[in-house]
Amino acid sequence: MKLEFFQKKFWTASRQCAALDGKCSISCDDENINCYLIDNNGFVLVAEDYTLTGKFFGEAEGAVMSKLLQMGSFKRVTLYDYQALCWVFSESSDSGHTLLDPYFAFFSAVKWILTELVIFLVEFNLYSWWHSDLTAKAQRMGRSMQVPCDTEYPAFISERTIKENTGNVDCDGCIKSFVIQQIPSSNLFMVVVDNKCDCSMFEPITMDPIEIMYNESLKCERLKMQKDRRRPDTCHPFHPEENSMECGGAAGLTPSFAATLLCVLLALFPR
């Protein structure tokens, strides 16, 4: 099922009421309320603002999500990523390996000259030369790079026993009300929020990861907790449907002259 079709089905179902005349006293089409369809982890599936699809509900309604955590409708758990990558700022980079080959030094010099020439042609024009007082000299800064690190990030899980809940949030004298109700036979929740109050004083709740900074003792404990993967209990060297008589011809392969020549030429140029 495509997302567009699912969203249309949801908005159609939200307009249906059990009243005799079929008209709803409150509808998601009302400008004073916002309707959301979220899953049991708090991610938005359907919203009036289509840019919120796939985002965490706490980013759109931080005040309401904070209240749901206080009421116990959702609980926060901490997850760890031991194979994450973090951005670090590098002032300079070492290039000592290029000194091992004179070709690298020669091509690096040519590359530097061409780069400086292109930058000069891009930055230089008559207007900037005439109005030199309005220009600012660019400074070459360091570069950012990714390094392996450990991070922790929050995750949110709905409480299975709570099927429906209502609450109010005090936003500097203005009361913001909301209703959350689980959709039967699913892990989805419909949330209706009153949008007449400005609750910008509440910070949005995000799931951004935070780098774990280790000292010497914590790093040692972290290495002790790391366990090696267990090998399989049994060995499967063959498969019943595999024909062992059908052997490959890898021994008859010969190196290609063109491929070998191409590898040699690539080794002479700097990467």
Side-chain angles (χ1 to χ4, degrees), residues 40-41 73-77 155-159:
N40 60 322
N41 296 118
S73 296
F74 281 84
K75 61 180 180 180
R76 184 199 304 260
V77 295
F156 301 88
I157 305 176
S158 63
E159 181 59 44

Side-chain angles (χ1 to χ4, degrees), residues 4-36:
E4 293 80 3
F5 179 75
F6 179 77
Q7 291 175 345
K8 292 180 180 179
K9 296 287 290 184
F10 171 75
W11 294 124
T12 302
S14 64
R15 298 185 181 97
Q16 299 176 359
C17 298
L20 296 178
D21 56 356
K23 297 181 180 180
C24 302
S25 58
I26 299 178
S27 174
C28 291
D29 297 330
D30 193 349
E31 297 180 355
N32 295 325
I33 61 175
N34 291 332
C35 297
Y36 301 92

